[in-house]
Amino acid sequence: MIIQASNEKGGGTVGGEKTSAGDIASAWKTFISKAQITEVVRPEIAHSWQRCHQAGVDPFSGVSHLILSRDQLHALLTKKRNLIDIARPFMSNLYRFVKGSGFIVMLSDEQGYMMETIGDSETQEKASELNLIKGASWQERVVGTNGIGTALAMAKPIQVSGAEHYCKKVHSWTCSAAPIYDEIGGITGALQMSGPSCKTHQHTLGMVVAAVKAIEEQISIKQRNRELTLLNNRLNNIVLTVSDGIIVTGKEGVIEQVNPAAEKILGKKGPEITGSLIRDYLENAAKIEELLDLGKSYKEAELQVTAHNGSVPCLSSGKPIRDEHGSVSGAVIFINPLHKIKNLINRFSGAHATFSFKDIIGKNKQLLKAVDLATLAAGNNSHVLLQGESGTGKEVFAQAIHNHSGRRNGPFIAINCGAIPRELIGSELFGYEEGSFTGAHRGGRPGKFELASGGTLFLDEIGDMPIEHQVALLRVLQDKQVTRIGGNKVILVDVRIICATNKNLPLEVAKGNFRQDLFYRLNVMTITLPSLRNRQDDIPLLFQVFFREICQKNGIPVPQADPRVISTLQHYSWPGNIREFQNILERMINVAQGQEIGLEHLPEEIVSYRPPSGSAQEIMPPSPVDHLKNNKIKIKELLEENERQDMINRLLLYHGNVSQVAKEMGISRTSLYKRLKRLEISMK
Ligand SMILES: Nc1ncnc2c1ncn2[C@@H]1O[C@H](COP(=O)(O)OP(=O)(O)O)[C@@H](O)[C@H]1O
Ligand SMILES: [Mg+2]
């Protein structure tokens, strides 16, 4: 029998001559009896024999006595399940080639514990005589030089045949084994093919080495797959949870995937969307064509997205997906509804209302009536006109109405028509498109109407709105849509308008400063706020609350106050109303520097104030006589309109209960009915 049994160069031949099985057998005898190595023994076998000798392995045994318990074996098989699953098909394949020739294929862990064997049953039986069975260890130091044990000790493939085995009982075997490396370069096991020593052939080792290479390849593919799966899961989670709508298309624009955010924007479920064309959903086709045909990305473009219930203006970005050759194979498109972005802007730009009804201080009858009306207004969506002198709380009321309405989660946008330069009012209200005037921002800018969509727009000082902008405002109120200056796209806006003015609007109409049609449109519900001079009864309460608030704000203890101070304050005219009242209190607290507040701390103009004798204190400034003359009829009409509005408000307040309204007005029911008839208010 010729042994050509190594992958090492020169293996199987010594000095150019073939080594016979008989030579090895006598060399083995020499080593066992005299511990001498003869030159017919290959160096790797010689080294192994020496290791076995040193470890005191019994050369006449060769039966493994290091065997795992059932539980230990179970734990090992569980731990190595991945390797076993990968190796098994390769082992079966190997075995198919040698089936019936007395060979078995075995898999061990990195310590030589057998984990899996496939083979002819007779050979398996013979193997089990040596405890070459599952759970038994075939390390060198247990059973001497052998395929698996020596391959693991050398960390290299090896074939061990006949008398090359250190132990006599294994001399009838030929074993070809190779260690299996894992993806990070550590040994994770070994594969062996064993059969009768008379069937020794160097190709056997080649087959084992090839199988091991394939197993290692499979291990690394599996590992890469695992990593890819993890990465994919992670990416999927991101796609599922981001608030941007994401649409993935193929090369031709067929939608392949959408995330839940996109489903929400489009108002349809994934399966209804996938398979259709992206062009059916995005209106600006040019951007999409460029993206898919030329691979040109776009960023933050305003597109109309066709949702199930109409079109939704969105901010969109798109990026091509390229294959390994760099050609476009699809696209990822992000969509984000503009109203969501506007809400975000509003949140960060402080466009929200802070006051609510509970912040409104006062027990005055007129004030409470205003609060009741405002509460009523909060419940519906109609436009509100707040009338009152400066500082009477018009903005406070506007915010409270907003916060009490169904729009409380939407934006509250305020714009002071009196404080913005005439020429900017238009662009502030309606926005503009890029390039519509010099100094216009790139990409244009939304106006207050757009920003307030879904919420409330507070038009302060509406009486100061230049007449030329009033038509445009009226049109927006009628059509509920705006077109940006320099643009042609119609944008739907859903806005509740609250206006405020300290002017006598009917008079402004009479004077020709305010459009009558706009006045009627805004004057759906008018709430008049009493001036402070008409709320003397509230001054002690206001004093108490603001006094404490100001001290707290300044971090100082609340000082005592001379009661005469309050009565003096009650008799002042308060042209600046609550705002002035707050300022005066603050000044007094600062001047008094913690001492009791006395008359000496009051500003001169208040102490010396004397009301003009006989003048009835009016809510609105008296109207200029010449205008009255010119516009007599108009004014009569408008005053009547005011009265009418007041009556409607009262009826609304008492839910149409005529007796209560009459009682509150101090008139009889009959006179009330007469008045209703004159004002053309019918009670249906
Ligand atoms: N009824 C009220 N209760 C409490 N504070 C008020 C009241 N009315 C007005 N204020 C205070 O007065 C200030 C001015 O009110 P504001 O609403 O701006 O007046 P207007 O818009 O009528 O000029 C507010 O900052 C608020 O603190
Ligand atoms: Mg104001």
Side-chain angles (χ1 to χ4, degrees):
M1 171 98 264
I2 304 300
I3 300 192
Q4 299 166 313
S6 174
N7 63 333
E8 295 281 299
K9 62 177 184 283
T13 57
V14 175
E17 290 163 31
K18 304 266 183 211
T19 313
S20 77
D23 294 340
I24 296 291
S26 54
W28 180 80
K29 277 186 194 136
T30 311
F31 183 77
I32 298 304
S33 52
K34 301 183 196 147
Q36 269 174 16
I37 292 281
T38 46
E39 61 170 10
V40 292
V41 185
R42 290 184 284 154
E44 49 277 45
I45 297 294
H47 291 147
S48 171
W49 283 358
Q50 270 151 352
R51 286 195 296 270
C52 298
H53 181 66
Q54 260 159 28
V57 178
D58 177 2
F60 296 99
S61 173
V63 179
S64 173
H65 295 295
L66 187 59
I67 299 173
L68 297 177
S69 70
R70 261 178 64 153
D71 287 350
Q72 286 170 322
L73 176 62
H74 180 75
L76 176 69
L77 296 181
T78 309
K79 188 176 135 206
K80 292 288 191 179
R81 196 164 67 214
N82 193 28
L83 172 64
I84 297 169
D85 287 347
I86 291 175
R88 196 178 283 123
F90 292 100
M91 292 169 72
S92 306
N93 217 16
L94 263 188
Y95 175 65
R96 256 214 320 261
F97 291 116
V98 292
K99 199 171 174 189
S101 60
F103 273 85
I104 47 178
V105 183
M106 285 162 275
L107 176 72
S108 82
D109 77 345
E110 65 278 12
Q111 300 194 59
Y113 285 104
M114 289 302 163
M115 300 193 295
E116 182 74 11
T117 64
I118 300 179
D120 302 343
S121 51
E122 289 161 42
T123 321
Q124 295 242 39
E125 250 167 58
K126 262 171 74 192
S128 66
E129 287 165 17
L130 301 176
N131 280 347
L132 194 47
I133 52 171
K134 267 193 192 180
S137 172
W138 274 70
Q139 291 168 38
E140 262 188 353
R141 64 177 178 86
V142 178
V143 287
T145 310
N146 74 91
I148 280 183
T150 305
L152 288 173
M154 297 190 331
K156 274 184 191 164
I158 192 165
Q159 186 170 66
V160 178
S161 296
E164 286 182 333
H165 288 100
Y166 186 74
C167 297
K168 182 94 176 85
K169 287 190 177 155
V170 201
H171 281 188
S172 56
W173 291 81
T174 172
C175 304
S176 303
I180 303 170
Y181 284 86
D182 64 18
E183 68 281 6
I184 52 166
I187 292 177
T188 181
L191 185 71
Q192 169 168 283
M193 204 150 107
S194 302
S197 66
C198 60
K199 296 202 171 144
T200 299
H201 196 288
Q202 73 182 108
H203 289 173
T204 317
L205 183 61
M207 284 165 71
V208 170
V209 169
V212 164
K213 281 275 163 278
I215 291 170
E216 287 173 350
E217 190 62 28
Q218 199 60 31
I219 291 174
S220 103
I221 289 173
K222 260 212 148 156
Q223 176 61 20
R224 253 176 297 165
N225 265 344
R226 236 190 333 260
E227 285 166 8
L228 283 176
T229 308
L230 269 176
L231 187 68
N232 192 42
N233 286 346
R234 223 173 289 157
L235 286 176
N236 244 338
N237 278 338
I238 294 172
V239 170
L240 287 178
T241 49
V242 287
S243 57
D244 288 24
I246 300 177
I247 303 174
V248 181
T249 78
K251 165 88 187 110
E252 306 303 327
V254 176
I255 298 175
E256 290 169 358
Q257 215 188 335
V258 289
N259 71 343
E263 287 180 344
K264 212 168 142 200
I265 297 166
L266 301 177
K268 285 183 184 172
K269 282 280 152 211
E272 295 173 70
I273 307 166
T274 49
S276 41
L277 287 172
I278 184 71
R279 296 166 188 87
D280 296 342
Y281 286 99
L282 296 189
E283 274 164 32
N284 191 340
K287 285 252 179 311
I288 303 301
E289 300 315 329
E290 279 184 2
L291 174 65
L292 289 171
D293 296 347
L294 311 172
K296 217 171 129 187
S297 351
Y298 66 89
K299 225 174 161 181
E300 282 155 21
E302 263 190 65
L303 300 183
Q304 294 289 326
V305 172
T306 313
H308 71 121
N309 56 350
S311 89
V312 182
C314 282
L315 217 52
S316 169
S317 301
K319 260 189 172 299
I321 304 171
R322 294 183 186 276
D323 63 16
E324 65 273 32
H325 308 298
S327 31
V328 179
S329 66
V332 188
I333 292 161
F334 294 83
I335 49 175
N336 227 330
L338 273 181
H339 70 84
K340 242 173 70 187
I341 296 165
K342 284 174 197 156
N343 279 349
L344 233 113
I345 296 169
N346 288 334
R347 218 159 75 204
F348 289 104
S349 63
H352 50 253
T354 47
F355 285 102
S356 63
F357 285 125
K358 67 177 184 337
D359 300 311
I360 294 173
I361 305 157
K363 297 267 177 284
N364 174 273
K365 210 173 150 197
Q366 261 182 295
L367 180 83
L368 291 182
K369 193 183 127 192
V371 172
D372 285 344
L373 273 179
T375 311
L376 202 71
N380 61 50
N381 220 2
S382 53
H383 301 329
V384 175
L385 178 63
L386 292 165
Q387 264 186 315
E389 293 175 21
S390 155
T392 47
K394 296 186 294 294
E395 175 139 17
V396 174
F397 267 75
Q399 294 195 4
I401 292 171
H402 170 80
N403 276 337
H404 213 262
S405 74
R407 298 171 169 263
R408 70 184 73 87
N409 293 323
F412 177 88
I413 304 278
I415 176 169
N416 188 329
C417 309
I420 296 171
R422 261 184 130 74
E423 60 279 12
L424 290 184
I425 289 191
S427 56
E428 275 292 314
L429 282 178
F430 312 121
Y432 53 82
E433 286 300 346
E434 181 169 340
S436 51
F437 57 90
T438 38
H441 273 256
R442 271 203 55 209
R445 214 157 83 170
K448 300 286 191 209
F449 266 99
E450 265 182 78
L451 289 176
S453 197
T456 305
L457 179 59
F458 177 51
L459 300 172
D460 204 358
E461 316 277 12
I462 186 77
D464 293 339
M465 173 79 114
I467 193 108
E468 68 266 27
H469 290 299
Q470 292 177 11
V471 199
L473 178 60
L474 181 67
R475 200 169 315 126
V476 175
L477 296 184
Q478 276 168 349
D479 304 345
K480 297 181 190 329
Q481 57 189 39
V482 292
T483 309
R484 291 187 187 177
I485 293 172
N488 48 19
K489 210 166 55 195
V490 168
I491 301 161
L492 290 181
V493 288
D494 161 33
V495 175
R496 125 82 73 95
I497 307 281
I498 301 180
C499 295
T501 181
N502 57 7
K503 288 193 171 165
N504 185 332
L505 269 196
L507 191 65
E508 292 303 310
V509 175
K511 287 199 270 183
N513 294 335
F514 205 85
R515 289 181 65 106
Q516 193 168 4
D517 45 8
L518 181 59
F519 171 71
Y520 285 133
R521 176 70 47 185
L522 294 174
N523 192 23
V524 178
M525 191 163 198
T526 300
I527 301 173
T528 306
L529 303 186
S531 60
L532 189 52
R533 92 185 67 88
N534 289 338
R535 288 173 63 189
Q536 287 177 348
D537 47 339
D538 271 342
I539 287 194
L541 174 64
L542 290 168
F543 182 88
Q544 199 193 352
V545 176
F546 291 144
F547 202 61
R548 182 165 306 145
E549 241 177 54
I550 295 165
C551 292
Q552 266 166 9
K553 197 179 78 192
N554 293 327
I556 55 172
V558 184
Q560 292 289 314
D562 183 339
R564 282 178 303 169
V565 169
I566 296 175
S567 67
T568 310
L569 292 174
Q570 270 177 310
H571 292 101
Y572 179 57
S573 66
W574 300 111
N577 295 291
I578 309 266
R579 190 178 292 115
E580 186 185 11
F581 186 77
Q582 286 173 326
N583 290 343
I584 298 285
L585 288 196
E586 184 144 14
R587 213 158 82 196
M588 279 164 48
I589 289 165
N590 285 334
V591 175
Q593 297 220 317
Q595 299 165 31
E596 181 182 310
I597 307 276
L599 290 175
E600 69 275 22
H601 298 121
L602 280 171
E604 180 50 35
E605 71 264 28
I606 293 183
V607 181
S608 61
Y609 178 79
R610 293 288 168 274
S613 58
S615 79
Q617 291 183 331
E618 294 196 11
I619 302 173
M620 293 295 160
S623 35
V625 181
D626 41 339
H627 275 292
L628 269 177
K629 271 188 202 149
N630 294 340
N631 300 290
K632 242 182 190 159
I633 306 160
K634 235 183 190 176
I635 289 188
K636 186 171 171 258
E637 209 175 85
L638 287 164
L639 289 177
E640 218 175 72
E641 174 56 34
N642 246 8
E643 198 186 346
R644 208 171 95 89
Q645 186 60 52
D646 181 65
M647 189 59 80
I648 292 172
N649 285 349
R650 285 171 199 265
L651 286 166
L652 279 171
L653 207 53
Y654 291 102
H655 306 289
N657 188 325
V658 176
S659 314
Q660 255 181 316
V661 175
K663 199 173 142 206
E664 194 240 4
M665 293 176 72
I667 56 173
S668 69
R669 278 178 45 139
T670 327
S671 342
L672 182 67
Y673 274 119
K674 270 190 196 148
R675 208 176 284 189
L676 290 177
K677 197 169 166 215
R678 175 170 56 82
L679 297 171
E680 297 175 334
I681 299 172
S682 64
M683 301 282 298
K684 274 183 208 145

